[in-house]
Amino acid sequence: LPRIDGVVRVREYACLAHQGSFCTVCSERCPEKGAIVVALGRPQVIPERCTGCGICVARCPAPVNGFDVVPR
C-alpha cells in the first residue's frame, strides 16, 4: 500500500463503531502500536503515533470509509 500524505482522522458519522455496531478492524490491522486506540468501543487515532501507512483506510469495512486524511 502506498503511504498517505498526512494523518488519518475517524469520520464518526461513517465509522461503524461510532454508529453503535461492534467493529475494531482498524485497530486490529494497524501495525503501529498505539496509533489507533479503542475507548468505550470506539476507535480514536493518536496523530503523534500515526505513520500514514493507510492500512486502516484500506481495511475499513464501513459502506462509506470511516477515515479522512488530513495534512500533518
Side-chain angles (χ1 to χ4, degrees), residues 3-71:
R3 284 190 123 29
I4 292 172
D5 187 22
V7 65
V8 294
R9 174 177 61 191
V10 176
R11 293 181 185 168
E12 293 182 9
Y13 70 88
C15 174
L16 296 175
H18 279 269
Q19 298 309 310
S21 297
F22 178 80
C23 184
T24 56
V25 171
C26 58
S27 63
E28 291 171 10
R29 300 292 190 270
C30 180
E32 191 63 36
K33 187 169 174 62
I36 300 176
V37 297
V38 178
L40 300 174
R42 298 176 176 156
Q44 298 174 345
V45 177
I46 308 304
E48 301 80 27
R49 294 194 174 270
C50 177
T51 63
C53 72
I55 290 174
C56 59
V57 177
R59 300 292 183 252
C60 178
V64 174
N65 200 287
F67 292 98
D68 271 332
V69 177
V70 295

